[in-house]
Amino acid sequence: MYLAHFHIHLQFSLPFLLTIVLTTATDILTTTSVFTTTISTLQDLDLTSCSLNHTTLTLSSNQTALPSPSSNLTLQYVALGRGIQNYTCLSSSPAKPTSVGALATLFDASCLVSSDQRLLHRIPPLLQDIPLETLDFFASVASLAGPDSAILGEHYFTASGVPFFDLRLGGNDDWVAAKKVASVGSPAASMDVPWLKLVGVEGMGISEVYRVYTAGGMNPATCEGMKGEFSVDYAAEYWFYG
């Protein structure tokens, strides 16, 4: 079902939230070496420096076809997005589902990426497996940790089908309506949505956006067994330049 425009109205500490969610998720996810290593690293990480002055997006070798950020722009924010990709099928048939947009909450990951970018790249697959209801619950619990907001903003598509990133929820003035200019398949292309570069067509403070290190969100190959609108959970990193 195509969900209405949404976001989580909560205030909480991101390091505390990540630790609680990932640690408690052992009851939800199958424990793996990657999972346990990520938890251990998060617990030991010192997230006191959030400067992005020396942070550069690193891509795996088969994703380097994405154009680099424009030379006159600097990295402004990095976010972890968790939400849904929406699709529709007119009938149950061999036809391919049609994409009708996406909805996601954007969690500020600037402190995390400035401390350990490789660790950040391991989080989207873990985040994608945590149900949205569970994430909402632990955000409520984590709100007891302090007043700092970890919600950078939200991502959705306008009524005219334009990708929109609203970062004003985090207390900023920045937002951007964008269009896709480049796309490369993800390493697991049958399951994870492509990596993208988008450029702003209207906005404030943000000119280019990258969606990378995606997890989930890919539509079924055909509409067989699917009719009407449906959604697929996904997570991804979003890098904002302005």
Side-chain angles (χ1 to χ4, degrees):
M1 180 178 180
Y2 187 84
L3 300 180
H5 174 86
F6 80 100
H7 60 265
I8 305 172
H9 296 279
L10 294 166
Q11 299 284 324
F12 51 89
S13 161
L14 179 59
F16 185 72
L17 172 66
L18 284 173
T19 301
I20 287 182
V21 170
L22 292 175
T23 302
T24 310
T26 53
D27 295 332
I28 303 169
L29 305 175
T30 301
T31 300
T32 66
S33 59
V34 173
F35 181 66
T36 54
T37 299
T38 301
I39 292 175
S40 176
T41 306
L42 273 173
Q43 291 172 330
D44 296 336
L45 206 59
D46 180 12
L47 298 178
T48 57
S49 174
C50 302
S51 172
L52 297 174
N53 291 340
H54 303 292
T55 301
T56 302
L57 174 60
T58 57
L59 302 176
S60 51
S61 58
N62 57 330
Q63 269 70 45
T64 54
L66 281 180
S68 299
S70 298
S71 59
N72 63 320
L73 302 179
T74 58
L75 182 61
Q76 301 296 312
Y77 311 98
V78 178
L80 284 165
R82 174 68 175 89
I84 54 175
Q85 294 285 324
N86 295 304
Y87 300 95
T88 187
C89 287
L90 296 179
S91 63
S92 180
S93 70
K96 183 178 179 180
T98 300
S99 175
V100 290
L103 295 166
T105 300
L106 303 173
F107 300 94
D108 192 346
S110 299
C111 296
L112 179 57
V113 72
S114 64
S115 299
D116 192 333
Q117 184 173 162
R118 288 181 298 177
L119 174 62
L120 176 69
H121 298 336
R122 295 206 300 264
I123 292 179
L126 305 179
L127 200 59
Q128 185 258 336
D129 281 336
I130 299 176
L132 287 170
E133 297 81 1
T134 303
L135 191 62
D136 193 4
F137 170 75
F138 285 113
S140 299
V141 174
S143 66
L144 300 174
D148 294 336
S149 175
I151 295 195
L152 181 63
E154 58 186 345
H155 166 46
Y156 57 93
F157 278 59
T158 67
S160 56
V162 177
F164 195 94
F165 299 88
D166 190 347
L167 308 187
R168 290 170 290 191
L169 291 176
N172 306 298
D173 295 325
D174 301 333
W175 60 274
V176 64
K179 66 176 182 179
K180 180 178 68 176
V181 295
S183 174
V184 296
S186 63
S190 64
M191 298 182 295
D192 304 335
V193 287
W195 297 15
L196 306 176
K197 178 179 180 178
L198 304 99
V199 298
V201 295
E202 186 181 5
M204 177 179 293
I206 301 298
S207 299
E208 296 180 356
V209 182
Y210 287 79
R211 183 184 77 184
V212 294
Y213 293 94
T214 56
M218 200 63 184
N219 59 276
T222 73
C223 283
E224 292 185 4
M226 310 294 294
K227 188 175 180 180
E229 297 174 340
F230 63 96
S231 61
V232 182
D233 285 357
Y234 89 106
E237 294 177 24
Y238 288 92
W239 293 60
F240 297 92
Y241 292 82

